[in-house]
């Protein structure tokens, strides 16, 4: 995706790349946040979701209908699960041999054949795994409500760690010559210098138009604490408010018992070196609504969620290996044609929920009209990839004292994730790359072994030789190359409410559309759940009204 800094996962960039920034929506959201547009807030709120109940049919003379759901990812499973609560007769057709869609946890023995026909079999040890798709859940997302309801146990996912690194390859203009810096150190320096500069400007009177005398004193008090800087030296503006380093940078020798106060990490780089290093690029990531700590993951793997949904829906209602080849909407129902184990079959239902990747649905013959077809074609598939590296030791914990979290790089690997589970175990799986766009595509063109080699060469720059010598095996997942998925997520220009997607946000006769692409949280399970709920409400309302 152009517009992305390599390895950068900021919401702003992400939204720009998937085309949902700007416009009235964003403006109203901002105004709403400022308390300027109370009516916009009401308009933007999703109606509260009430799951359909069997008792909703009492005295209506209506009955639950038959529904065919195309796609057994989170949206399709959630739709079947919610409709099932009211007794709807749902059948899920899933092209892959398992449910979950992009929610795929890979463990030892799991095999994936990509669209090139290349097979990889994971060799991870027992108890170790990689979440190749979704891997982190913020507290506000309804994904957690489903975990509660389905009894999926959670643990903290460490998205931000002061001990993890920010790696810069930039060498020009910096005394340090680039390389890895701990988040804590980079922040101490950047916050320190920004505080110093702002304090100096404030004290010089540069902000007298903006601030009252009281404001100025309060701001200075804040900056002193925020940047850990010195105070005013009367009569000496140059010596005032200076950042000269801080214990917040960390220690070269950690403090211990009496007599061993430790040695603070030094020397402190100049403001110019800190700016030139570019470390500041990695800070705003954790400010985002989606990425802020604390975050969560299901204990044992993200696929605990689709597994629990599959169990709740009932395995016999789900046909895996069922590839849909035609959708025909008729005045009184829908016929879905699919192939299963070499045979062509058809399924008739009252309604259909199409919850498969939109750019793949666009290749399925249907009679849903030109507006639907052009809207489907306008959903652009995007690339993202992850590489899991299993190590025979947890050197990142033992040697680097990093327990979970993410190292940010400006290399083509994007970010490197340390596992948030199995601390102090013998082995562990590190995510050696999580990249997207061009970087993901570049790795995707390589063989699995070459991907490993290239990514390991990058990781060695940050972590040293153990990144290579302790490696046991790897598994790489490229979502553009995953059969029946062929995308990490989709970008919808202008967002899901833009006019060109209108045909997907209402039924085409008896066919409804669902998926995270039809939500304001593209690339999150929350979006898939929210979209499924919206469609479930619409179908149920229609059936009740008869
Ligand atoms: N949800 C995915 C993740 O957290 C993709 C994503 C990245 C979505 C950044 C929004 C912002 O990695």
């Amino acid at each position: 995706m152009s517009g992305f800094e390599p390895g950068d996962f900021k919401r702003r960039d992400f939204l720009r790349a998937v085309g949902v920034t700007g416009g009235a929506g964003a403006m109203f959201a901002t105004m709403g946040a400022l308390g300027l547009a109370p009516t916009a807030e009401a308009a933007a709120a999703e109606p509260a979701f009430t799951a359909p109940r069997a008792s909703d049919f009492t005295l209506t003379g209506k009955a639950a209908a038959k529904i065919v759901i195309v796609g057994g990812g989170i949206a399709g499973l959630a739709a079947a699960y919610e409709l099932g609560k009211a007794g709807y007769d749902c059948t899920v057709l899933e092209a892959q041999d398992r449910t979950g869609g992009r929610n795929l946890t890979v463990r030892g023995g799991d095999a994936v054949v990509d669209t090139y026909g290349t097979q990889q079999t994971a060799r991870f040890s027992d108890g170790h795994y990689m979440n190749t798709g979704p891997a982190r859940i913020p507290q506000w997302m309804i994904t957690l409500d489903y975990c509660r309801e389905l009894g999926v146990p959670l643990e903290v996912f460490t998205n931000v760690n002061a001990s993890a690194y920010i790696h810069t390859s930039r060498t020009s203009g910096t005394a340090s010559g680039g390389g890895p810096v701990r988040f804590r150190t980079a922040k101490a320096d950047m916050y320190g210098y920004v505080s110093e500069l702002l304090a100096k400007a404030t004290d010089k009177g540069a902000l007298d138009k903006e601030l009252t005398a009281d404001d100025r004193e309060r701001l200075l008090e804040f900056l002193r604490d925020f940047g850990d800087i010195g105070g005013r030296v009367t009569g000496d503006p140059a010596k005032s408010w200076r950042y000269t380093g801080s214990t917040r940078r960390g220690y070269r020798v950690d403090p211990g018992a009496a007599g061993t106060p430790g040695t603070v990490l030094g020397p402190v780089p100049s403001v110019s070196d800190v700016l030139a290093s570019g470390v500041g690029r990695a800070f705003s990531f954790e400010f985002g609504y989606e990425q802020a700590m604390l975050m969560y993951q299901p204990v044992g793997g993200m696929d605990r969620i689709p597994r629990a949904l599959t169990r709740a829906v009932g395995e016999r209602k789900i046909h895996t290996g069922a590839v849909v080849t035609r959708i025909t909407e008729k005045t009184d129902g829908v016929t879905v044609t699919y192939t299963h184990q070499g045979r062509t079959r058809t399924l008739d239902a009252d309604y259909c929920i199409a919850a498969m990747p939109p750019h793949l649905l666009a290749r399925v013959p249907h009679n849903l009209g030109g507006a639907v077809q052009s809207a489907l074609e306008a959903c652009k598939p995007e690339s993202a990839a992850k590489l899991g590296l299993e190590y025979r030791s947890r050197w990142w914990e033992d040697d680097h004292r990093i327990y979970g979290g993410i190292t940010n790089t400006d290399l083509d690997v994007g970010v490197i994730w340390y596992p948030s589970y199995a601390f102090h175990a013998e082995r562990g799986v590190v995510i050696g790359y999580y990249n997207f766009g061009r970087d993901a595509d570049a790795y995707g063109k390589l063989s699995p072994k070459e991907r490993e080699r290239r990514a390991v060469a990058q990781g060695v720059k940050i972590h040293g030789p153990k990144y290579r010598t302790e490696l046991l095996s790897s598994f790489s997942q490229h979502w553009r190359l995953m059969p029946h998925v062929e995308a990490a997520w989709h970008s919808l220009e202008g967002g899901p409410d833009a006019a060109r997607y209108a045909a997907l946000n209402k039924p085409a006769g008896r066919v409804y559309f669902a998926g995270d692409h039809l939500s304001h949280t593209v690339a999150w399970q929350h979006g898939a759940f929210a979209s499924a709920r919206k469609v479930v409400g619409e179908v149920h309302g229609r059936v009740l009204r008869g």
Side-chain angles (χ1 to χ4, degrees):
M1 253 179 276
S2 59
F4 275 69
E5 290 286 316
D8 206 342
F9 280 73
K10 288 179 197 154
R11 180 186 157 84
R12 183 173 31 114
D13 298 329
F14 183 83
L15 293 180
R16 195 181 300 126
V18 300
V20 300
T21 44
M27 189 183 78
F28 275 117
T30 312
M31 289 167 67
L34 295 171
L36 299 173
T39 51
E41 184 173 322
E46 215 164 16
F49 176 73
T50 321
R53 287 163 303 198
S55 61
D56 295 345
F57 293 105
T58 311
L59 303 179
T60 62
K62 308 285 191 304
K66 189 170 171 192
I67 318 278
V68 55
I69 296 169
V70 177
I74 296 298
L77 291 174
Y81 172 62
E82 294 294 357
L83 288 166
K85 291 176 181 174
Y88 282 86
D89 175 12
C90 296
T91 306
V92 179
L93 301 176
E94 168 52 49
Q96 299 197 60
D97 58 8
R98 48 156 201 98
T99 55
R102 286 162 286 168
N103 181 325
L104 169 64
T105 300
V106 166
R107 301 180 182 79
D110 290 344
V112 169
V113 180
D114 69 16
T115 50
Y116 294 134
T118 307
Q119 172 163 331
Q120 279 185 82
T121 305
R123 314 224 170 280
F124 302 146
S125 326
D126 270 4
H128 298 276
Y129 63 85
M130 70 181 283
N131 289 324
T132 64
R136 48 185 165 199
I137 313 171
Q139 292 163 80
W140 60 271
M141 289 192 175
I142 57 176
T143 312
L144 288 192
D145 299 307
Y146 281 94
C147 290
R148 185 200 304 113
E149 189 169 319
L150 295 162
V152 173
L154 299 168
E155 63 194 2
V156 168
F157 173 88
T158 305
N159 208 30
V160 182
N161 183 345
S163 294
Y165 297 111
I166 303 172
H167 180 268
T168 26
S169 359
R170 237 183 261 184
T171 48
S172 65
T174 65
S176 64
V181 187
R182 305 260 188 190
F183 264 83
R184 74 169 85 259
T185 313
K187 281 183 181 172
D189 291 344
M190 193 65 151
Y191 294 3
Y193 281 125
V194 167
S195 298
E196 172 177 336
L197 293 169
L198 184 51
K200 282 189 162 142
T202 305
D203 214 16
K204 244 190 235 170
L207 297 172
D208 284 3
K209 274 215 206 73
E210 285 79 10
L211 302 172
T212 67
D214 278 351
D215 291 341
R216 285 198 297 274
E217 284 316 308
R218 286 174 192 140
L219 178 60
L220 288 166
E221 190 184 309
F222 165 75
L223 292 171
R224 241 191 116 164
D225 172 58
F226 184 71
D228 205 9
I229 58 177
R232 184 187 285 124
V233 178
T234 319
D236 194 343
K239 285 220 170 69
S240 297
W241 314 112
R242 275 177 62 195
Y243 174 69
T244 54
S246 161
T247 57
R248 294 177 192 173
R249 307 189 81 239
Y251 284 73
R252 196 158 48 72
V253 179
D254 278 328
T260 45
T263 313
V264 177
L265 199 66
V268 182
S270 69
V271 62
S272 165
D273 276 351
V274 172
L275 291 170
S277 74
V279 289
R281 71 169 194 272
F283 299 161
S284 69
F285 169 71
E286 62 183 290
F287 302 162
Y289 190 43
E290 284 133 351
Q291 300 289 359
M293 282 295 278
L294 295 179
M295 296 188 85
Y296 292 84
Q297 65 182 10
V299 176
M302 191 60 85
D303 67 350
R304 300 286 187 231
I305 295 173
R307 282 190 189 183
L309 282 168
T310 300
R311 215 174 305 123
V313 168
E315 305 248 8
R316 53 192 183 80
K317 303 204 165 193
I318 302 171
H319 303 309
T320 54
V323 181
V324 169
T325 54
R326 182 176 294 276
I327 299 175
T328 312
E329 203 266 339
K330 303 167 294 177
T331 44
D332 59 344
V334 184
T335 301
V336 173
T337 311
Y338 62 100
T339 58
H340 188 249
Q341 295 171 348
R343 289 222 219 123
T344 301
R345 294 170 186 273
T346 60
L347 194 69
D348 292 311
D350 299 309
Y351 300 98
C352 171
I353 296 174
M356 58 180 275
H359 69 303
L360 300 188
L361 185 57
R363 297 183 205 156
V364 175
H366 63 74
N367 65 343
L368 305 175
V372 165
Q373 184 60 21
S374 40
L376 290 172
E377 285 172 7
C379 299
K380 198 170 140 269
E382 300 291 355
S383 302
K386 276 184 191 164
L387 168 75
L389 300 167
E390 189 183 14
Y391 286 98
R392 75 179 98 242
S393 71
R394 292 175 83 96
W395 48 263
W396 56 94
E397 292 171 1
D398 305 340
D399 303 347
H400 299 254
R401 313 292 292 195
I402 296 174
Y403 288 76
I406 295 176
T407 278
N408 178 297
T409 84
D410 58 2
L411 306 169
D412 61 17
V413 295
V415 282
I416 294 173
W417 291 15
Y418 313 97
S420 290
Y421 66 96
F423 301 113
H424 287 166
E426 196 185 317
R427 299 174 168 188
V429 175
V430 167
I431 300 298
Y433 57 70
Y434 175 19
N435 48 17
F436 42 36
R438 276 184 311 253
D439 289 333
D441 291 340
Y443 276 92
K445 292 197 182 93
L446 307 175
S447 71
K449 202 69 206 166
E450 289 166 338
R451 293 172 190 163
E452 177 192 297
R453 212 171 299 134
R454 177 160 159 181
V456 165
Q458 303 287 52
V460 165
K461 296 179 189 167
I462 301 166
H463 305 93
K466 283 194 182 172
Y467 204 84
R468 182 176 288 121
T469 56
E470 294 296 285
L471 184 64
L472 287 171
S473 72
S474 70
F475 185 94
S476 49
Q477 176 69 14
H478 284 253
W479 285 103
R480 277 292 271 157
L481 306 178
M482 184 68 168
H484 306 300
V485 181
E486 297 187 31
W489 50 73
H490 298 82
S491 52
L492 275 65
E493 212 187 312
D497 290 320
R500 64 201 307 199
Y501 304 107
L504 303 180
N505 290 312
K506 58 181 186 217
R510 290 172 169 267
V511 178
Y512 292 74
F513 305 93
D516 66 294
H517 58 288
L518 298 176
S519 80
H520 286 274
T521 49
V522 181
W524 293 96
Q525 294 177 95
H526 172 89
F529 280 120
S531 172
R533 284 180 168 192
K534 171 177 176 279
V535 164
V536 162
E538 288 166 4
V539 170
H540 188 48
R542 181 160 164 186
V543 170
L544 283 178
R545 282 192 309 274

